[in-house]
Amino acid sequence: MLSLKLSDCKNCKSLPSIARLLLLKDLLIGGLDEVHKIGAELFGPNQSSAFTSLETLCFESMPNWEVWDPCEGDEQASKFPSLRELSIRNCPQLLGRLPTLLRSLHKLEIIECKRLVVSISSFSSLCELKNFGCEELVDEGTSSAEEVTSLKSASLTNISKFGISAEKALLRFANSEYFNISGWKELESLSQNGLSLVGHRFFTIWNCPQLVSLETEEGILQPDKISGVEFLFISYCEMLNRLPKVLHAFPFITRIKLEKCPGLVCFVESNFPPALKELEIWSCENLQYLFDEKENNKSTSSSRCLLENLEIVDCPSLIFLSSRADICNQLQHLKIHICSKLSSLFLNAKLPVLLKQLDIWGCPMLECIVQDFHETTDLESIRIGGDGNIKSLPRGLDKLSHLQEIRINGCPSFVSFEESGLPTTNLKVLSIQYCENFRALPKCINNFTSLGKLKVVYCSDDISFPEEGFPTNLTSLEISNAPQIYTSLVEWGFNRLSSLQQLNISGEGCSHVVSFPEEGIGRMLPSSLTSISIRSFENLEYMCSKGFQHLTSLQQLSINNCPKLTSLPDKDMLLSLERLFISYCSSLEEGREWSKIAHIPKLDLNLVSTAEDAKEETVPGVSHSLAMNVDVLDETSNGNQSSGSDDKLVDNEDELQG
């Protein structure tokens, strides 16, 4: 036998002599609620050696286990000689000793054993240590540095007492590549426990509420002690008020993430680390700026800064990023969300020249992003939204030959684009949502040869249709609360959009519309369509079958909030349809209409008049399985009508299709 699992034997009080299985490699013991002690019975009589082949040993969910007696004595060296992994999980009463001499042990995992004192003194080959919740962690051995430097990964969480001396901690943990500290309620600085940023590649600190700094004043990191840290993550450290003063001298650090550290006012007091490429700062409520050159007498080394990605979210005290844009002259991705006091990005009103993605959301004090885009010619994406005071985009948009995406969402002050217009070559997405004063699409929009997605949702209700029409290469079109655009689009001809695959129309203000699509040869729907969503046509009575007769690729149809609708397209027009959503169309009745849709594999129907009624009523007369989930219908059929989270409106709007 090579592997054995003893699990959930609720009446078992004593273990068999498993050590007699000489070839056993993997052993798991768990869920034995009546076992209080594990000792000699595990090894059996006259066992001069035991578990000679065992490589992994796991105990888990032993609620009443109190003592583990490994029966060590003169023969201790012969027990568990091949054990590489030892795991003890959720054994809250365990008080006994671990085996003290496990020369082959590479991985030790202790989870939720809150009464256990864990000694790592004799584990000379230990490479990975994971300790989550124990009474005390100790190292009482006298090993030299050569014997304790094998540890490569250490995670120390919710340890009641750290019983390792500063000198021994330096030896034991100095060379671990991955080092995680979390849940140390009394930790004020790393150096008080002999810990340091020096020697680790990936360092994380989480939920240490008393942590003030990563070093004491007496033990400030010296620049001549080169730190190998590549990634630093600090979260939920309420008292942390500064990062190491010599952070700029860390030559290898490429990524830093800070979260829930309200004591931080600025990111660095000197320059950025020279190799830093990614910086994320979340929910640091007192952060005012990243780096202010005016408050620093040292000369900047902005030319050496390699920062490419900067993300700042929910920092309500942020005023600006830096006094100069060229301090981040390699920046390519800039994301600023929910920073209510942000009045400018860079005080010199310029953007980093290599910037590719600009994403600003929920910054109501920001009125101007930049004076112009003339120096930022590599921009590929502009996303702006969230109740800002942006009235228009800066000059020079037409010079951005690489621009592929413009999304403006929730900017009530946004009126129009500058007269210079938009780039016509590579723009693929143009989305304007919830900008109640936006009144005019670009006049030359029909010349946007690469535009695939156009979205105009809940802007001014008198926004007009461009004189030259829409670009015929569109693959996705969504229009809401735009009766003039809809009327003109019907007259211009849906069929001209020969590449259109997704059509999403909301009919607010279109009280004259009684059929969809409206009658007439020029008003046929393009045969390329795979998905159609129509909603909020208050007087729509029937779906015109002729308009659907060439839609052989149509897979999904959604009809929502059309209370006078009584007739669906003929069955022969819906043969390719895989999914049909109908909600809040109270005039549709069972019988003839159901025969038109009985062949469709997936139906989501909710025909009652209001959302409140929908929670109580069902659809009669439909014999096959229906998905009657009101929440799903609300999300898919209403789409972007609902005011969801910021991220849904900005980042995931492609997923909110009818």
Side-chain angles (χ1 to χ4, degrees):
M1 184 178 291
L2 301 179
S3 179
L4 175 62
K5 178 179 179 180
L6 300 178
S7 180
D8 297 320
C9 303
K10 299 302 182 182
N11 296 319
C12 178
K13 296 183 178 181
S14 179
L15 294 174
S17 302
I18 302 172
R20 294 184 178 184
L21 301 172
L22 300 180
L23 300 181
L24 189 66
K25 289 187 175 182
D26 303 299
L27 173 61
L28 184 145
I29 300 173
L32 277 61
D33 295 358
E34 296 299 318
V35 171
H36 293 264
K37 179 180 179 180
I38 295 177
E41 76 284 357
L42 192 67
F43 302 98
N46 301 320
Q47 288 292 316
S48 57
S49 61
F51 295 108
T52 54
S53 300
L54 193 66
E55 296 179 357
T56 63
L57 174 60
C58 177
F59 297 97
E60 63 181 18
S61 301
M62 305 275 283
N64 296 305
W65 181 28
E66 298 178 354
V67 178
W68 181 12
D69 180 6
C71 301
E72 292 180 338
D74 295 337
E75 302 163 357
Q76 66 174 350
S78 62
K79 290 183 173 64
F80 303 107
S82 302
L83 191 65
R84 296 177 59 85
E85 297 184 13
L86 173 60
S87 177
I88 306 177
R89 308 169 188 160
N90 299 307
C91 300
Q93 302 300 321
L94 183 60
L95 289 168
R97 300 169 56 199
L98 301 180
T100 59
L101 193 59
L102 299 176
R103 297 188 181 279
S104 298
L105 194 67
H106 282 145
K107 179 179 179 180
L108 175 62
E109 181 181 66
I110 307 294
I111 298 177
E112 294 295 352
C113 300
K114 295 184 178 180
R115 302 180 67 188
L116 186 65
V117 176
V118 178
S119 173
I120 56 174
S121 306
S122 303
F123 305 152
S124 57
S125 299
L126 194 63
C127 294
E128 182 177 349
L129 172 63
K130 184 176 183 180
N131 199 320
F132 187 105
C134 73
E135 175 68 23
E136 184 177 6
L137 182 67
V138 299
D139 188 350
E140 303 163 328
T142 58
S143 301
S144 62
E146 291 78 10
E147 294 177 319
V148 296
T149 54
S150 60
L151 195 62
K152 297 301 180 184
S153 175
S155 180
L156 310 178
T157 303
N158 291 357
I159 298 173
S160 300
K161 183 178 180 182
F162 187 72
I164 302 178
S165 67
E167 180 182 0
K168 187 59 68 68
L170 181 62
L171 292 175
R172 175 62 75 172
F173 301 109
N175 291 329
S176 56
E177 293 188 5
Y178 301 84
F179 196 74
N180 170 64
I181 295 174
S182 56
W184 289 27
K185 305 302 182 183
E186 306 299 326
L187 184 67
E188 297 181 2
S189 73
L190 296 181
S191 51
Q192 78 183 55
N193 291 97
L195 305 175
S196 173
L197 293 177
V198 176
H200 311 290
R201 291 181 59 200
F202 306 93
F203 201 105
T204 64
I205 305 174
W206 183 81
N207 192 22
C208 296
Q210 300 301 318
L211 185 71
V212 176
S213 68
L214 301 185
E215 73 281 333
T216 62
E217 289 298 328
E218 296 78 15
I220 293 177
L221 291 168
Q222 300 300 318
D224 59 339
K225 293 183 178 180
I226 297 178
S227 173
V229 174
E230 297 177 16
F231 171 54
L232 176 62
F233 175 44
I234 304 176
S235 178
Y236 284 87
C237 295
E238 289 85 350
M239 300 296 291
L240 185 71
N241 55 33
R242 61 183 174 85
L243 295 179
K245 292 182 178 180
V246 294
L247 189 65
H248 66 278
F250 284 25
F252 304 112
I253 194 165
T254 59
R255 184 184 177 195
I256 295 177
K257 182 172 183 179
L258 306 174
E259 181 182 45
K260 290 285 185 179
C261 297
L264 287 177
V265 175
C266 70
F267 171 62
V268 287
E269 299 178 10
S270 185
N271 297 322
F272 285 89
L276 186 65
K277 291 187 176 182
E278 297 182 40
L279 174 60
E280 297 179 51
I281 304 179
W282 285 62
S283 302
C284 294
E285 61 189 55
N286 291 307
L287 182 78
Q288 296 183 14
Y289 47 84
L290 297 181
F291 169 72
D292 187 5
E293 183 189 4
K294 294 183 299 183
E295 295 187 6
N296 195 289
N297 294 325
K298 300 179 181 180
S299 61
T300 64
S301 57
S302 59
S303 62
R304 297 175 55 226
C305 179
L306 299 180
L307 189 66
E308 296 177 357
N309 300 302
L310 175 59
E311 181 174 316
I312 303 180
V313 177
D314 190 21
C315 295
S317 298
L318 186 71
I319 302 173
F320 60 87
L321 301 181
S322 174
S323 57
R324 289 169 39 189
D326 61 355
I327 194 67
C328 302
N329 58 7
Q330 300 293 314
L331 195 66
Q332 298 181 27
H333 308 277
L334 175 60
K335 176 179 178 180
I336 312 291
H337 282 200
I338 319 175
C339 297
S340 56
K341 290 186 178 180
L342 183 72
S343 58
S344 63
L345 299 179
F346 300 95
L347 292 185
N348 62 358
K350 293 184 178 181
L351 291 176
V353 295
L354 298 181
L355 194 66
K356 292 183 178 180
Q357 295 184 354
L358 177 63
D359 187 347
I360 309 294
W361 173 266
C363 302
M365 298 295 292
L366 186 65
E367 296 184 0
C368 178
I369 300 171
V370 67
Q371 290 180 347
D372 59 63
F373 284 126
H374 288 121
E375 296 183 5
T376 318
T377 57
D378 288 340
L379 262 177
E380 298 175 357
S381 172
I382 298 175
R383 294 187 174 197
I384 300 172
D387 299 323
N389 289 315
I390 304 294
K391 296 181 180 179
S392 64
L393 294 182
R395 299 185 303 271
L397 272 173
D398 58 324
K399 306 299 182 182
L400 303 181
S401 59
H402 299 284
L403 192 64
Q404 300 179 23
E405 173 188 51
I406 297 178
R407 298 180 190 262
I408 312 295
N409 191 332
C411 293
S413 299
F414 189 75
V415 176
S416 65
F417 295 98
E418 291 285 343
E419 293 184 2
S420 59
L422 299 175
T424 61
T425 52
N426 290 312
L427 192 66
K428 297 179 180 179
V429 177
L430 178 59
S431 174
I432 315 294
Q433 299 185 73
Y434 302 97
C435 299
E436 58 196 55
N437 290 304
F438 182 75
R439 299 182 181 279
L441 288 167
K443 295 180 181 179
C444 59
I445 193 172
N446 64 303
N447 294 325
F448 292 7
T449 56
S450 297
L451 192 65
K453 179 176 182 177
L454 176 62
K455 194 170 189 177
V456 183
V457 174
Y458 295 101
C459 297
S460 172
D461 56 7
D462 61 356
I463 186 172
S464 60
F465 187 71
E467 292 182 5
E468 302 297 328
F470 284 156
T472 57
N473 44 273
L474 286 178
T475 58
S476 176
L477 174 63
E478 181 171 353
I479 299 172
S480 298
N481 193 43
Q484 292 190 39
I485 286 184
Y486 178 76
T487 300
S488 300
L489 179 60
V490 170
E491 295 175 355
W492 181 73
F494 277 112
N495 59 312
R496 294 193 185 188
L497 302 174
S498 56
S499 299
L500 196 65
Q501 299 177 18
Q502 296 180 341
L503 176 64
N504 192 329
I505 301 289
S506 185
E508 294 91 349
C510 300
S511 58
H512 65 284
V513 176
V514 296
S515 71
F516 182 87
E518 298 184 49
E519 299 285 357
I521 296 177
R523 300 173 183 181
M524 302 290 287
L525 296 175
S527 59
S528 55
L529 279 170
T530 61
S531 174
I532 299 175
S533 173
I534 62 170
R535 63 181 184 271
S536 300
F537 283 88
E538 58 180 333
N539 292 315
L540 183 68
E541 297 178 2
Y542 66 97
M543 305 292 288
C544 180
S545 293
K546 283 187 177 181
F548 285 79
Q549 63 182 343
H550 300 300
L551 304 189
T552 56
S553 299
L554 189 64
Q555 300 175 12
Q556 179 169 299
L557 174 62
S558 174
I559 308 170
N560 177 57
N561 193 26
C562 299
K564 294 185 179 181
L565 182 68
T566 60
S567 177
L568 298 172
D570 293 339
K571 177 180 179 179
D572 292 343
M573 304 297 109
L574 302 176
L575 294 179
S576 63
L577 207 62
E578 297 178 359
R579 191 166 192 175
L580 174 64
F581 296 86
I582 302 179
S583 59
Y584 312 137
C585 299
S586 53
S587 297
L588 273 177
E589 298 179 355
E590 61 179 299
R592 178 172 172 270
E593 298 307 308
W594 299 146
S595 66
K596 297 178 180 180
I597 62 176
H599 66 286
I600 300 173
K602 181 66 174 179
L603 296 177
D604 291 302
L605 307 181
N606 176 18
L607 307 183
V608 292
S609 58
T610 66
E612 288 74 19
D613 296 336
K615 297 178 181 179
E616 299 180 0
E617 299 189 24
T618 58
V619 181
V622 182
S623 59
H624 58 292
S625 175
L626 302 179
M628 304 298 294
N629 189 319
V630 176
D631 293 332
V632 171
L633 288 170
D634 286 343
E635 179 179 335
T636 55
S637 298
N638 289 332
N640 287 330
Q641 289 189 60
S642 61
S643 56
S645 68
D646 299 339
D647 287 340
K648 278 188 177 181
L649 288 175
V650 177
D651 293 330
N652 298 326
E653 61 178 345
D654 288 336
E655 300 176 6
L656 299 178
Q657 297 298 325

